[in-house]
Amino acid sequence: MVEPTPIICTVDVTLLTLQDDMLHVLLLKRDREPFAGALALPGGYVHAEADQSAEDAAARVLKEKAGIVSPYLEQLATFSGPGRDPRGWSLSVAYCALLPAELLAVDGAERQLRPVARLPALPFDHARIVDAAVQRVRSKSQYSSLPVYLCGEAFTLPRLQAVYEAVLGEPVNKVSFRRKMDELGMLEAIPGAQTSGGAHRPAQLYRLRREFRHALSMLDRGINV
Amino acid sequence: MVEPTPIICTVDVTLLTLQDDMLHVLLLKRDREPFAGALALPGGYVHAEADQSAEDAAARVLKEKAGIVSPYLEQLATFSGPGRDPRGWSLSVAYCALLPAELLAVDGAERQLRPVARLPALPFDHARIVDAAVQRVRSKSQYSSLPVYLCGEAFTLPRLQAVYEAVLGEPVNKVSFRRKMDELGMLEAIPGAQTSGGAHRPAQLYRLRREFRHALSMLDRGINV
DNA sequence: CAAATAGTGTCTCTAAGACAATATCGT
DNA sequence: ACGATATTGTCTTAGAGACACTATTTG
């Protein structure tokens, strides 16, 4: 058998963040064909010369096209077929990244955050990719600490709870939430650091324990690939 | 920017089955380079001309190389990099299939079932792929009905429980198991059908309800992509 | 009826949610 | 002291597991 027809190999990254307590996705204005000028997910070719893996390519694309280095980058799924890209039979490895909104610079035209609940029409099969990302994040948030990636370095428990609620789209029980966070043992109170300003009791600030900074706890469900 | 260097696009399928109450994986003797003669996962190029998607390619490979049409075929993850295939920078979309052992014809030399707990050395990164498949199946079995794909058409509850225990590698509570199966409402007793032969009470035979034949219940955890 | 496995009833234990009391701020 | 939000204590409830009992077959 001979080498088959080359296949277009790309990566696409769904970068999710929280704005106004709603999940938003980063969209970039495409600067070349196909779909030049349209808003789309950051994406690009896998470069055999530059990349050591598809994940490397995703990180590179995110850095080059959006100037972002995300601490969380997870492979979602791979989408493929003859019809998803007008250039021909293509295959795209989709990734999902999470970032606190504070670390995200968006300028009006080129980079935009759009709420995932009201997306514009997207080129390729990017709508399906965003759907898969949101579903994955929701699902993992039910049993893992994934939403901490949407908070900054320091956060209060009420704030973290609000983030969980925003991601899950439903209220969570306060007592159970705190019990769970306590059991997980991933957070530590920042000594002496508390919120201030409101006309009410200040809240304790927490941060991820060092051991968990770069290793998200999945409760050993073995879901992550 | 010009089109980048072509990338080798393949699929690999981890077909798991149960033999002697242990998970086994199907390995084929490779008939061409690289690694001709070695045992490896069924795999092959994605054909832009023939396949409508990578999943199609996986189904085709399984059919052509092993003569199998699996009712369950799930995308696992995509593995890529310059070093995993001696032919060059390659990308493989890995799939996981499940099949009852009765439907699997293995001849001594060309096709073999090997226990996942004692795998021979495998070419490429096939060992990692099998690991990912086993992990995924174990994980999903904790909250879904996935193991029914390892049983045949009809099965008893004690048998199904044994399958769960084999997959999970730990005993499961009989009462809870039956309660759960009952709640799920996916099984139905086959009227009048019972096991026979043993010197003991016969067991009721069950089958998947029609609604669930081709739609595995994931308990709405939204894990599947 | 004895042995063996199938199927069920029920108690206990654990985890999650509801509810409400207490704590600590700014005004 | 009052309003507001944070934090904690405890009761209730739902689900999972332990255990033991009943049921049905063959020899």
Side-chain angles (χ1 to χ4, degrees):
Chain A
M1 187 194 305
V2 294
E3 299 281 324
T5 323
I7 283 174
I8 300 170
C9 276
T10 61
V11 290
D12 287 301
V13 182
T14 301
L15 188 143
L16 296 175
T17 193
L18 216 53
Q19 197 171 62
D20 307 324
D21 278 352
M22 290 188 306
L23 272 181
H24 283 61
V25 60
L26 175 73
L27 299 178
L28 306 186
K29 189 165 280 187
R30 287 182 61 83
D31 59 359
R32 61 176 70 110
E33 294 297 338
F35 305 110
L39 283 177
L41 295 178
Y45 288 113
V46 175
H47 288 307
E49 307 80 15
D51 303 317
Q52 290 300 302
S53 64
E55 178 160 336
D56 268 13
R60 178 180 51 74
V61 161
L62 207 49
K63 180 122 182 289
E64 289 178 1
K65 303 214 173 181
I68 292 166
V69 176
S70 171
Y72 184 76
L73 187 64
E74 179 201 355
Q75 189 183 122
L76 259 186
T78 295
F79 298 80
S80 59
R84 55 179 301 282
D85 187 318
R87 288 167 290 187
W89 215 106
S90 71
L91 180 152
S92 175
V93 190
Y95 286 82
C96 177
L98 299 180
L99 206 67
E102 308 89 76
L103 299 183
L104 205 50
V106 290
D107 40 39
E110 300 303 315
R111 308 173 192 179
Q112 300 187 21
L113 284 182
R114 294 298 189 92
V116 297
R118 289 187 308 280
L119 285 185
L122 295 179
F124 308 104
D125 50 3
H126 285 188
R128 280 185 62 206
I129 297 179
V130 174
D131 272 354
V134 171
Q135 220 180 315
R136 177 77 66 94
V137 168
R138 292 227 163 96
S139 165
K140 281 203 173 186
S141 296
Q142 291 178 347
Y143 56 87
S144 83
S145 56
L146 199 152
V148 300
Y149 284 99
L150 294 170
C151 293
E153 287 283 315
F155 45 86
T156 68
L157 287 182
R159 173 65 194 147
L160 183 58
Q161 180 175 349
V163 171
Y164 267 84
E165 289 174 338
V167 170
L168 295 175
E170 60 184 19
V172 314
N173 183 279
K174 182 172 55 168
V175 181
S176 300
F177 177 74
R178 283 162 177 266
R179 249 191 316 235
K180 182 69 75 184
M181 286 300 138
D182 189 43
E183 286 165 11
L184 287 180
M186 314 183 39
L187 306 183
E188 61 184 0
I190 303 175
Q194 300 195 325
T195 52
S196 62
H200 51 75
R201 176 173 177 176
Q204 175 65 51
L205 283 168
Y206 289 82
R207 64 181 167 219
L208 258 185
R209 281 187 192 283
R210 189 169 307 281
E211 312 90 89
F212 297 97
R213 291 287 160 74
H214 290 292
L216 176 67
S217 166
M218 281 298 158
L219 304 194
D220 288 330
R221 293 292 293 277
I223 302 290
N224 32 354
V225 179
Chain B
M1 185 197 301
V2 294
E3 299 281 322
T5 321
I7 282 173
I8 299 170
C9 276
T10 62
V11 291
D12 287 301
V13 182
T14 301
L15 187 143
L16 296 174
T17 193
L18 216 53
Q19 196 171 64
D20 306 326
D21 278 354
M22 291 189 306
L23 271 181
H24 283 61
V25 60
L26 175 73
L27 299 178
L28 306 186
K29 188 163 282 184
R30 287 181 62 81
D31 59 359
R32 61 176 69 111
E33 294 297 338
F35 304 112
L39 283 178
L41 293 178
Y45 288 115
V46 174
H47 288 308
E49 307 80 15
D51 302 319
Q52 291 300 303
S53 65
E55 179 160 335
D56 267 13
R60 177 180 53 73
V61 161
L62 208 48
K63 180 122 183 289
E64 289 177 3
K65 303 214 173 180
I68 292 166
V69 176
S70 172
Y72 183 76
L73 187 64
E74 179 200 355
Q75 189 184 121
L76 258 185
T78 295
F79 298 81
S80 59
R84 54 179 302 282
D85 187 317
R87 287 167 289 188
W89 215 105
S90 70
L91 180 154
S92 175
V93 189
Y95 286 82
C96 177
L98 300 181
L99 206 66
E102 307 87 76
L103 299 183
L104 205 51
V106 291
D107 42 39
E110 300 304 315
R111 309 172 190 178
Q112 299 186 22
L113 285 181
R114 293 298 189 93
V116 297
R118 289 188 308 279
L119 284 185
L122 294 179
F124 308 104
D125 50 5
H126 286 188
R128 279 185 64 207
I129 296 180
V130 175
D131 272 355
V134 171
Q135 220 181 315
R136 177 78 66 92
V137 168
R138 291 226 163 97
S139 165
K140 283 203 171 185
S141 296
Q142 290 177 348
Y143 55 87
S144 83
S145 56
L146 199 152
V148 300
Y149 283 99
L150 293 170
C151 292
E153 288 283 316
F155 46 84
T156 68
L157 288 182
R159 173 63 192 149
L160 184 59
Q161 180 175 349
V163 170
Y164 268 84
E165 290 175 336
V167 170
L168 295 174
E170 61 186 15
V172 312
N173 184 279
K174 182 172 56 165
V175 180
S176 301
F177 176 74
R178 283 162 176 265
R179 250 192 315 237
K180 182 69 75 185
M181 287 300 139
D182 190 42
E183 285 166 12
L184 288 180
M186 315 182 39
L187 306 182
E188 61 184 0
I190 303 177
Q194 300 195 326
T195 53
S196 63
H200 51 75
R201 177 174 176 174
Q204 175 66 51
L205 283 168
Y206 289 82
R207 64 180 168 221
L208 259 184
R209 280 188 194 281
R210 191 169 306 280
E211 313 89 271
F212 297 97
R213 293 285 161 74
H214 289 290
L216 178 68
S217 166
M218 280 300 160
L219 303 193
D220 288 331
R221 296 290 294 275
I223 302 287
N224 30 356
V225 179

